[in-house]
């Protein structure tokens, strides 16, 4: 598993930089986000939820959707839509209520 940032999709808004609890994400000279110390990422998914462009995804273990499956998150008002993609085709999705997140 590991976080991947889509260079082309990033608009350099810095939201992931500011939300990362490990201070792992930085902006490169071209204004795009990257993981400076990927080995220190603990897959908390905060950056996935924060990115307004859906440019950050989490590569899942093969037993979680098959080889190459990725998790993306999209905030929509008071909910977060979690979607697993494989080869850019949606294979599963679940919606969680942000205010009740600790109950899941
Ligand atoms: S998953 Fe969490 S620890 Fe890893 S880069 Fe994103 S915000 Fe930082
Ligand atoms: S939150 Fe998304 S768009 Fe903004 S800097 Fe991070 S990766 Fe780029």
């Amino acid at each position: 598993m590991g976080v991947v940032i889509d260079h082309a999709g990033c608009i350099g808004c810095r939201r992931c930089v500011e939300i990362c609890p490990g201070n792992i994400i930085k902006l490169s000279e071209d204004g795009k986000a990257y993981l400076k110390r990927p080995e220190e990422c603990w897959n908390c998914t905060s950056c996935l939820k924060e990115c307004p462009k859906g440019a950050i995804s989490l590569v899942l273990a093969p037993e979680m959707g098959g080889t190459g499956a990725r998790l993306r998150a999209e905030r929509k008002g008071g909910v977060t839509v979690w979607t697993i993609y494989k080869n850019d085709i949606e294979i599963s999705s679940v919606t969680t209520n942000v205010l009740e997140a600790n109950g899941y």
Side-chain angles (χ1 to χ4, degrees):
M1 292 175 65
V3 164
V4 175
I5 301 176
D6 174 22
H7 187 268
C10 174
I11 59 171
C13 69
R14 295 187 59 87
R15 286 169 63 166
C16 58
V17 175
E18 289 161 12
I19 201 73
C20 177
N23 198 23
I24 293 166
I25 308 175
K26 304 293 180 186
L27 286 195
S28 59
E29 287 184 3
D30 64 358
K32 306 282 187 169
Y34 72 102
L35 288 188
K36 185 168 185 182
R37 298 183 307 280
E39 71 280 4
E40 294 181 16
C41 171
W42 60 89
N43 303 322
C44 72
T45 72
S46 294
C47 55
L48 274 71
K49 292 180 280 187
E50 197 67 15
C51 180
K53 302 301 288 181
I56 308 178
S57 59
L58 181 67
V59 178
L60 298 172
E63 60 269 29
M64 300 171 66
T67 302
R70 291 188 182 202
L71 175 68
R72 294 181 183 140
E74 182 182 5
R75 280 267 169 83
K76 291 182 177 177
V79 302
T80 303
V81 180
W82 302 88
T83 307
I84 296 176
Y85 291 88
K86 190 173 180 184
N87 299 325
D88 281 331
I89 297 172
E90 179 180 330
I91 57 176
S92 183
S93 181
V94 65
T95 299
T96 56
N97 187 310
V98 172
L99 297 178
E100 298 174 359
N102 289 338
Y104 294 105

